[in-house]
Amino acid sequence: MLRLKIVSPERIEFEGDVTRVKVPGMAGSFEILTDHAPIISSLETGVVEYAEPSGQKTTLSILGGFVEVQKNEVSLCVEINK
C-alpha cells in the first residue's frame, strides 16, 4: 500500500492510500508500486493515474511538476490542467 499526496498551487487535490500510481515522467510514463525505490523526478504534461484499494481508478490531467517517492509515500507537486 502507498500513501499518496497530490498538491497543486491552489489546494491539496488528493491524500489517501492507493495501490499504484502512474505518472508522466520526462523520459516516459512510469508506474510506482509498493516498495518502489526512492526517487525524485520531474513530470511533463500528461495524465496521472492512481488506483484506490477499492479498485476505483482516478485520472488527473497535469501540465507538469515533480514526484518524490520515499518509504511507500508518494508526493506529487503538480500544476493541474483545467
Side-chain angles (χ1 to χ4, degrees):
M1 191 71 61
L2 298 166
R3 184 75 179 164
L4 173 63
K5 185 173 186 177
I6 302 174
V7 179
S8 72
E10 294 83 28
R11 65 175 192 235
I12 296 174
E13 300 291 334
F14 176 84
E15 187 170 12
D17 292 329
V18 298
T19 56
R20 64 179 190 82
V21 183
K22 187 174 182 181
V23 295
M26 299 302 283
S29 292
F30 64 94
E31 191 166 45
I32 300 160
L33 302 171
T34 302
D35 296 328
H36 194 286
I39 187 174
I40 295 175
S41 177
S42 297
L43 300 177
E44 63 181 18
T45 300
V47 175
V48 171
E49 180 182 300
Y50 56 92
E52 296 180 52
S54 65
Q56 177 180 338
K57 293 180 183 174
T58 304
T59 59
L60 185 63
S61 182
I62 66 167
L63 296 173
F66 70 89
V67 60
E68 178 183 16
V69 180
Q70 189 171 24
K71 297 180 182 175
N72 290 323
E73 292 188 8
V74 181
S75 299
L76 293 173
C77 182
V78 296
E79 185 175 349
I80 304 298
N81 185 5
K82 296 184 180 186

